[in-house]
Amino acid sequence: MRFHIITIFPDIFDSYLKESIIGRAIKNKFISVKFYNPRDFIRGNKSNYKPVDDKPYGGGPGMVMRAEPILKAIETVVKKISTLSRKRVTPQEGNKKILIINFIPSAEKFTTNYAKTISKKYTDIILICGRYEGIDARVDKILKTKKLSIGDYVLTGGEIPAMILVDCVSRQIEGVLGNFDSREEERISSSEVYTRPEVLKHKNKNYKVPKVLLSGDHKKIEDWKKREKNDKINK
Ligand code: ADE
């Protein structure tokens, strides 16, 4: 899976993509993440320089990201994807399938189920990270983007939503997690987990691991986990 991120703040992603499971997934080439900065797609010299954002038509607070630099950035990505496919075509990648996502707080919610679906369906995912009041709506119309929200709260931009999607989709790709079956949603797991010590002393109180987990009775343990699982995602 290749992720292509359209952002004016690519550095935000640096440490996240270097560390742990996602860092290893990139090193081992299960995924790749590339950045395209709309600022690099602004035409003009000093006399006719246009910024990446402008005032909204109809008035209102804040600024809107202009369509042209984003469209040009995405055009570049799409061209690059077509050359990539000529270089290295695996059976799964023979048919390039591109999904373009725009993050908007009020849109349909992103879920693990959706992550599962797109991890199988697409070879390339382009993520547009809006800033300010968002991006010119004509980008969505021209490119028929999928609009997604990551939750009922408003962030300062689409970079954190993009990181969340990269993380959640990547762990659906076989090889990314050490043990594919360790994906929480695939097994019976409770929202409560414990490790050593068996009795945790904290401020003169003892906090014990539930007895059933020490019983060695697998049937009982599975039943307990099932009961505890009731608050899991996407049930
Ligand atoms: N941009 C700002 N807040 C967002 C959210 N909650 N989801 C998606 N994009 C956003």
Side-chain angles (χ1 to χ4, degrees):
M1 173 68 74
R2 292 184 287 258
F3 298 99
H4 310 268
I5 302 183
I6 314 293
T7 173
I8 56 171
F9 297 117
D11 294 352
I12 288 177
F13 295 81
D14 276 0
S15 66
Y16 190 74
L17 296 177
K18 262 195 247 145
E19 304 290 342
S20 188
I21 292 169
I22 298 300
R24 220 169 31 238
I26 293 171
K27 242 193 211 154
N28 295 335
K29 299 197 166 34
F30 289 113
I31 62 166
S32 75
V33 186
K34 296 278 181 282
F35 295 94
Y36 303 82
N37 190 334
R39 289 193 202 284
D40 298 335
F41 296 87
I42 294 170
R43 208 182 283 149
N45 50 36
K46 272 186 191 142
S47 62
N48 66 353
Y49 173 80
K50 285 189 192 144
V52 79
D53 59 333
D54 210 334
K55 284 182 276 187
Y57 280 115
M63 301 292 267
V64 174
M65 286 181 80
R66 293 196 303 113
E68 287 116 308
I70 295 173
L71 289 171
K72 280 201 194 111
I74 293 175
E75 210 176 286
T76 302
V77 177
V78 172
K79 264 192 206 144
K80 206 170 146 196
I81 292 168
S82 63
T83 64
L84 278 173
S85 66
R86 265 182 262 131
K87 265 196 236 156
R88 186 169 58 90
V89 182
T90 64
Q92 173 212 8
E93 289 187 333
N95 240 339
K96 287 275 124 332
K97 286 262 170 72
I98 304 172
L99 172 67
I100 306 176
I101 293 172
N102 182 22
F103 291 107
I104 296 179
S106 57
E108 173 192 327
K109 295 281 182 321
F110 173 66
T111 63
T112 301
N113 271 343
Y114 186 71
K116 250 183 230 181
T117 305
I118 63 175
S119 73
K120 293 192 189 91
K121 205 164 162 194
Y122 298 99
T123 56
D124 294 86
I125 299 177
I126 301 172
L127 304 166
I128 307 171
C129 305
R131 280 266 150 185
Y132 317 118
E133 291 301 304
I135 67 172
D136 188 314
R138 287 168 290 190
V139 171
D140 293 319
K141 290 187 179 138
I142 293 166
L143 299 174
K144 299 193 172 48
T145 62
K146 173 79 183 171
K147 292 183 213 133
L148 283 180
S149 163
I150 55 142
D152 288 331
Y153 37 82
V154 181
L155 303 168
T156 53
E159 284 76 9
I160 292 174
M163 266 191 256
I164 289 171
L165 185 139
V166 168
D167 188 296
C168 190
V169 172
S170 298
R171 62 194 293 289
Q172 297 299 334
I173 295 165
E174 202 155 355
V176 168
L177 294 179
N179 176 358
F180 196 49
D181 294 330
S182 74
R183 287 171 307 153
E184 201 167 58
E185 59 278 17
E186 296 305 310
R187 47 188 180 102
I188 300 166
S189 69
S190 71
S191 51
E192 283 190 25
V193 290
Y194 298 87
T195 186
R196 280 188 273 194
E198 207 175 299
V199 180
L200 176 71
K201 287 188 196 323
H202 182 73
K203 293 191 177 161
N204 290 329
K205 262 182 107 176
N206 285 342
Y207 296 84
K208 292 181 187 163
V209 173
K211 259 197 188 130
V212 61
L213 297 180
L214 309 169
S215 68
D217 184 331
H218 297 298
K219 169 84 177 66
K220 266 194 191 156
I221 292 173
E222 293 297 277
D223 288 346
W224 182 86
K225 285 183 177 178
K226 261 187 220 161
R227 259 182 277 125
E228 289 294 318
K229 198 186 172 177
N230 55 15
D231 60 346
K232 282 285 144 184
I233 37 176
N234 289 334
K235 271 177 64 182

